[in-house]
Amino acid sequence: MSEELSPEQIQQALQGISVPPQPQIMVDLQMEQYMPDPDLGAIARLIAQDPGLSGALLKIVNSAHYGLSNKIASIDKAVNLLGSRTVINLINAQSIRGEMTDETIVALNRFWDTAQDVAMTSLTLAKRIGSQTADESYALGLFHDCGIPLMLKRFPNYMPVLEEAYANAGPDCRIVDTENSAFDTNHSVVGYYTAKSWRLPAHITDAIANHHNALAIFQDDTSRNATLKNLLAPLKMAEHICQSYRVLGNQDEDHEWESIGALVLDYVGLSEYDFEYLRESIRELGAR
């Protein structure tokens, strides 16, 4: 049975949570909570579309207060463990913290849209290729770029640099290398520490830290990075299918995928033809 957290405990848990929630998701959640009998399933589905809310939820459920033996990454499990009252208190706390200007909302729409698309596509791909980490693939898809809104908040000129990073991407230049040159940090590093603050499982935070280091990881043909590869393979395929290079990078070509695509497909045992068929079937299903 879930144990309700006080508003004070929730505010303490939210310290350091800076990724703002999507305004429309907040409206939909506010509507749901005012129903006579709030639907936890509907609430979980809405929260699972938003990186900031999902991160806040997982930070609470993975805290010492709940004493879980293993950290979880499933939003459904987190909502059921917390119960309706704690989840609604969390939503209300985030709505107070989530005030943004229209200009910020427009800039972040690129991040929000990509996060949802990549998360759902990662989940679908993980299931199609027989991965045992479908829930974790969704979580990684949702959270992998959670450092972007924080970089945007810290550096007003961040988006043009990110676009340049996608343009420069290739075998000799990672996307994060361009960011490092401009800011002495990058969205993968910031995302890693944000995910750690949310108490996500360590293998997911490691994947966030390394999601633009895929070339080196997949070039290593030993078994030491198997867990990382199993998470990154669906993610990198999903990013390509969802055209993150267009939405976030404002590019016509996916230069990163040109460098890593063959290695990723070889790892999961797909030919180029198989991948194209899989991509079209996912689009037809509306996963993308």
Side-chain angles (χ1 to χ4, degrees):
M1 186 173 179
S2 60
E3 180 182 350
E4 183 178 337
L5 294 184
S6 69
E8 291 76 18
Q9 288 173 308
I10 288 175
Q11 287 296 341
Q12 183 178 6
L14 287 176
Q15 292 299 316
I17 300 294
S18 303
V19 179
Q22 299 174 69
Q24 187 56 54
I25 295 291
M26 295 304 298
V27 170
D28 293 343
L29 284 167
Q30 294 286 348
M31 293 292 290
E32 184 61 41
Q33 73 166 286
Y34 293 134
M35 299 294 288
D37 186 18
D39 182 347
L40 272 183
I43 289 173
R45 286 190 292 275
L46 287 167
I47 289 174
Q49 297 176 51
D50 187 90
L53 286 173
S54 296
L57 193 73
L58 291 173
K59 179 177 183 180
I60 289 173
V61 81
N62 286 323
S63 68
H65 180 84
Y66 282 89
L68 300 182
S69 56
N70 294 303
K71 294 180 179 180
I72 65 172
S74 168
I75 305 305
D76 281 336
K77 290 179 183 177
V79 168
N80 286 324
L81 281 168
L82 291 175
S84 59
R85 178 46 49 193
T86 292
V87 172
I88 287 171
N89 286 342
L90 168 67
I91 293 166
N92 290 337
Q94 285 291 80
S95 68
I96 295 171
R97 298 161 62 89
E99 296 180 1
M100 292 174 289
T101 65
D102 290 342
E103 182 180 354
T104 302
I105 291 171
V106 170
L108 287 176
N109 276 337
R110 293 161 72 178
F111 160 73
W112 284 322
D113 290 346
T114 304
Q116 291 180 37
D117 282 351
V118 172
M120 184 55 68
T121 304
S122 294
L123 171 65
T124 304
L125 285 166
K127 290 179 177 178
R128 291 290 186 90
I129 64 177
S131 172
Q132 302 301 308
T133 60
D135 281 348
E136 294 181 337
S137 291
Y138 182 93
L140 178 59
L142 190 67
F143 296 130
H144 72 290
D145 278 337
C146 66
I148 287 179
L150 304 182
M151 291 289 287
L152 182 62
K153 182 177 180 180
R154 175 65 178 83
F155 305 106
N157 64 325
Y158 176 69
M159 291 310 294
V161 173
L162 184 62
E163 292 175 4
E164 179 187 354
Y166 273 90
N168 293 340
D172 300 320
C173 185
R174 302 172 302 167
I175 285 173
V176 292
D177 291 335
T178 301
E179 293 181 64
N180 287 337
S181 296
F183 307 117
D184 292 324
T185 189
N186 63 74
H187 75 274
S188 295
V189 169
V190 174
Y192 166 79
Y193 284 110
T194 301
K196 279 181 68 70
S197 79
W198 288 339
R199 304 189 182 98
L200 266 64
H203 50 285
I204 293 181
T205 61
D206 288 344
I208 291 171
N210 285 283
H211 76 278
H212 286 303
N213 197 33
L215 181 61
I217 290 168
F218 283 96
Q219 281 178 331
D220 180 359
D221 57 5
T222 68
S223 60
R224 61 181 176 179
N225 286 322
T227 300
L228 197 54
K229 290 176 181 176
N230 291 340
L231 282 170
L232 287 179
L235 174 69
K236 301 316 289 187
M237 289 191 289
E239 285 184 313
H240 181 62
I241 291 173
C242 297
Q243 300 184 337
S244 296
Y245 60 94
R246 290 184 185 274
V247 181
L248 292 174
N250 197 27
Q251 302 300 311
D252 293 328
E253 302 292 334
D254 191 347
H255 302 301
E256 184 181 52
W257 179 254
E258 291 169 2
S259 299
I260 67 171
L263 291 168
V264 172
L265 295 183
D266 181 64
Y267 181 76
V268 299
L270 291 176
S271 67
E272 286 281 356
Y273 176 82
D274 293 333
F275 180 60
E276 287 301 318
Y277 178 81
L278 187 55
R279 176 166 63 177
E280 291 307 313
S281 66
I282 287 174
R283 286 175 171 171
E284 288 173 5
L285 287 173
R288 160 68 186 90

